[in-house]
Amino acid sequence: MPTVRTTGHFTSADWKEGAVAGEDGLPRLANATVTNAFSGGIEAEATTCDYAITYLTGGTGAFAGMELVLGRVDGRAGAFVLEERGRFEDDGTVHCTFEVVEGSGTEELTGLRGTGGFTYRQGETKVAYTFEYGLE
C-alpha cells in the first residue's frame, strides 16, 4: 500500500474538562471533551474528541484519546477514528501522535490506515499537523 503525506492545520473550538480522581493532589486524572476543526489534507468542520488526562505536576502530564473525524482526506469523503497519545510540558508545549483505528474508515475512506502528529506551542491559534496514510 503506497502512502501519501499530507499536512494542514486544526483549531480547537471547544474544551470541556472535568476532574475524575485526585482533585486534591497529584497525580490527578481528568477527562476532556474537545471539538476541533481541520483544514488542509484532512477537512472536517467539527470533530468530536474525548481525552483521558493525567496531570503529574501543575503543568506536566500525559493524555490518550479518541477522535471521530467526519469529513474528507485529500478530497475523499467519509469518517474515521484517530487514536491519540501525547504529553504536555510546563511551558505549554503539547506533543501528540495519532493513528487511524483499523477498520474505522467509511465511504470513500474505507480501508484507511495512517499515522500522524502535531506539536502545539502555547499561544498558537492554529496547530500544524502531518498525516501519512494509505487506502487498501
Side-chain angles (χ1 to χ4, degrees):
M1 164 180 68
T3 60
V4 176
R5 184 175 194 271
T6 192
T7 62
H9 291 86
F10 72 90
T11 58
S12 292
D14 193 21
W15 181 285
K16 294 179 183 160
E17 184 173 327
V20 174
E23 300 93 23
D24 298 330
L26 295 169
R28 184 174 79 237
L29 296 179
N31 181 285
T33 302
V34 182
T35 302
N36 294 317
F38 282 79
S39 62
I42 300 173
E43 296 175 35
E45 287 184 28
T47 67
T48 302
C49 185
D50 192 61
Y51 289 117
I53 304 166
T54 301
Y55 288 93
L56 302 173
T57 69
T60 65
F63 63 91
M66 297 289 212
E67 185 164 14
L68 175 61
V69 180
L70 176 59
R72 297 181 175 279
V73 174
D74 287 336
R76 293 177 188 88
F80 59 97
V81 175
L82 295 174
E83 181 177 4
E84 304 177 5
R85 289 180 118 10
R87 62 180 167 52
F88 50 97
E89 302 169 6
D90 273 329
D91 66 1
T93 303
V94 176
H95 303 279
C96 180
T97 59
F98 54 81
E99 181 174 0
V100 175
V101 173
E102 187 174 341
S104 68
T106 67
E107 299 178 37
E108 295 176 310
L109 298 175
T110 299
L112 179 69
R113 292 182 185 251
T115 60
F118 66 85
T119 298
Y120 164 82
R121 289 174 182 78
Q122 185 80 25
E124 290 181 333
T125 56
K126 285 185 171 183
V127 181
Y129 67 83
T130 61
F131 182 48
E132 292 187 21
Y133 72 93
L135 288 165
E136 293 182 349

